[in-house]
C-alpha cells in the first residue's frame, strides 16, 4: 500500500515482516536425526516452495523435501545418514514481503549444522566362546554373539566378523571370516563351530575376535569382548 501526502509529508511504502524458522534437534543417533521446525510468520506472508534441504560436508545436496505450508510446528526425521558426519540443514522458500523488490527466491528462513554420532557410540559386540572337545592335536571351538548384551542397532549394522587363532609365537593358525554375504548366519546369536586340526601338544593358542559395522559409506572397527569358558 502506498501513502501519498502533500506539503511537509513524504511518500512511504508499508511491507510485511520476513518469515523465519527455528530448528531444534530433538534426537540424534548414528543413522538418523530428528528436528523440530517452528515457523515464525506474524504477517502471514505466503511462502511457496517451502522445504528443507540437507547438505553434506562437501556442500553437496543429499536430500530435499517439501514442508507443509499450513503447520506452524513440524517434526522431521532424517534417515540413512553417515555416522560421525557433519551436515547442514537449511529451510528455504519463495516469498514476497511487498516491499517493492519482488519475490525472494530460495530465501533461507533458517539453518544449522549438526553431526551424527559415531558407530562406536553403539557399544561392543559381546561374544561367548569355548572348547567343547580337545585332544592332543585338535580342538572344537563353539562360539556365538550374545545378542542379549548387544545393541540391536549395532547388530543390524554389523558388516564383518572375524575369528583369529594364533600360537604362542604369533603365527596364524586359523582364521574364519563372516562378511556381508554370510554375516546373517551369526547375527541372530546362532552358534558357529570351528574344527581346529594339526595342533601341537603343549602349545598355548590365543583366540581373538574382531568386527566392523557399516552405515552408508562409512565402515568402522567395533570393539569385541569375549567371555571364554
Amino acid at each position: 500500500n502506498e501513502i501519498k501526502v502533500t506539503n511537509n509529508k513524504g511518500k512511504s511504502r508499508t511491507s510485511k515482516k520476513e518469515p523465519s524458522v527455528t530448528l531444534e534437534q530433538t534426537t540424534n543417533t548414528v543413522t538418523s536425526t530428528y528436528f523440530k521446525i517452528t515457523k515464525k510468520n506474524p504477517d502471514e506472508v505466503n511462502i511457496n516452495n517451502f522445504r528443507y534441504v540437507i547438505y553434506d560436508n562437501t556442500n553437496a545436496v543429499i536430500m530435499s523435501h517439501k514442508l507443509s505450508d499450513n503447520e506452524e510446528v513440524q517434526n522431521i526425521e532424517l534417515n540413512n545418514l553417515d555416522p560421525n558426519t557433519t551436515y547442514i540443514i537449511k529451510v528455504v522458500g519463495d516469498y514476497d514481503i511487498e516491499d517493492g523488490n519482488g519475490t525472494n527466491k530460495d530465501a533461507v528462513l533458517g539453518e544449522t549444522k549438526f553431526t551424527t554420532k559415531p558407530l562406536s557410540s553403539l557399544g561392543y559386540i559381546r561374544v561367548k566362546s569355548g572348547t567343547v572337545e580337545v585332544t592332543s592335536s585338535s580342538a572344537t571351538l563353539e562360539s556365538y554373539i550374545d545378542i542379549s548384551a548387544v545393541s540391536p542397532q549395532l547388530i543390524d549394522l554389523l558388516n564383518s566378523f572375524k575369528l583369529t587363532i594364533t600360537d604362542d609365537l604369533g603365527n596364524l593358525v586359523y582364521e574364519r571370516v563372516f562378511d556381508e554375504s554370510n554375516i546373517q548366519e551369526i547375527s541372530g546369536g546362532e552358534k558357529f563351530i570351528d574344527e581346529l586340526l594339526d595342533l601341537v601338544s603343549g602349545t598355548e593358542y590365543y583366540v581373538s575376535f574382531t568386527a566392523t559395522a557399516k552405515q552408508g559409506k562409512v565402515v568402522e572397527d567395533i570393539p569385541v569382548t569375549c567371555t571364554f569358558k
Side-chain angles (χ1 to χ4, degrees):
N1 300 322
E2 290 189 354
I3 305 172
K4 294 183 179 180
V5 293
T6 57
N7 299 330
N8 61 339
K9 296 183 180 179
K11 176 181 177 182
S12 66
R13 179 185 296 272
T14 61
S15 63
K16 296 182 177 181
K17 186 175 181 179
E18 289 187 317
S20 64
V21 302
T22 59
L23 292 155
E24 178 187 355
Q25 189 178 31
T26 55
T27 306
N28 187 30
T29 71
V30 168
T31 61
S32 62
T33 194
Y34 299 77
F35 274 95
K36 177 182 177 181
I37 301 175
T38 304
K39 181 168 59 175
K40 297 180 179 180
N41 190 14
D43 289 339
E44 298 183 351
V45 174
N46 185 40
I47 305 173
N48 295 311
N49 202 18
F50 188 43
R51 66 200 189 278
Y52 67 81
V53 184
I54 308 299
Y55 301 82
D56 66 12
N57 52 14
T58 67
N59 210 35
V61 175
I62 62 166
M63 69 176 77
S64 179
H65 197 276
K66 181 174 172 56
L67 291 165
S68 170
D69 298 326
N70 304 319
E71 297 179 47
E72 181 180 345
V73 178
Q74 300 179 61
N75 294 289
I76 63 170
E77 178 182 1
L78 310 176
N79 289 313
N80 299 318
L81 302 174
D82 289 339
N84 201 27
T85 302
T86 299
Y87 296 91
I88 297 174
I89 177 173
K90 295 182 180 182
V91 176
V92 299
D94 307 333
Y95 59 81
D96 185 353
I97 58 172
E98 301 176 13
D99 61 352
N101 293 320
T103 300
N104 294 310
K105 291 281 190 180
D106 296 325
V108 178
L109 284 74
E111 66 177 286
T112 190
K113 289 183 178 181
F114 66 95
T115 302
T116 51
K117 290 184 176 181
L119 285 167
S120 57
S121 66
L122 295 175
Y124 294 79
I125 295 292
R126 301 185 186 275
V127 176
K128 292 187 176 180
S129 182
T131 52
V132 293
E133 184 178 349
V134 178
T135 71
S136 61
S137 61
S138 67
T140 301
L141 189 68
E142 181 181 85
S143 312
Y144 66 95
I145 296 174
D146 183 6
I147 60 172
S148 67
V150 181
S151 162
Q153 188 177 13
L154 181 54
I155 292 294
D156 289 341
L157 299 175
L158 195 59
N159 182 66
S160 69
F161 185 86
K162 182 167 68 173
L163 160 66
T164 302
I165 297 176
T166 55
D167 63 18
D168 49 9
L169 297 177
N171 299 311
L172 180 64
V173 174
Y174 182 86
E175 183 177 82
R176 185 176 184 182
V177 178
F178 296 89
D179 57 22
E180 290 177 292
S181 67
N182 61 352
I183 194 71
Q184 70 280 357
E185 294 178 8
I186 62 169
S187 59
E190 295 85 355
K191 293 180 179 179
F192 51 98
I193 307 296
D194 294 274
E195 301 288 343
L196 313 176
L197 305 175
D198 301 322
L199 302 180
V200 178
S201 179
T203 301
E204 289 188 343
Y205 294 93
Y206 300 90
V207 179
S208 64
F209 297 92
T210 55
T212 64
K214 181 179 181 181
Q215 168 59 30
K217 302 182 292 294
V218 176
V219 178
E220 287 185 24
D221 292 332
I222 299 298
V224 179
T225 62
C226 179
T227 301
F228 198 81
K229 58 182 180 179

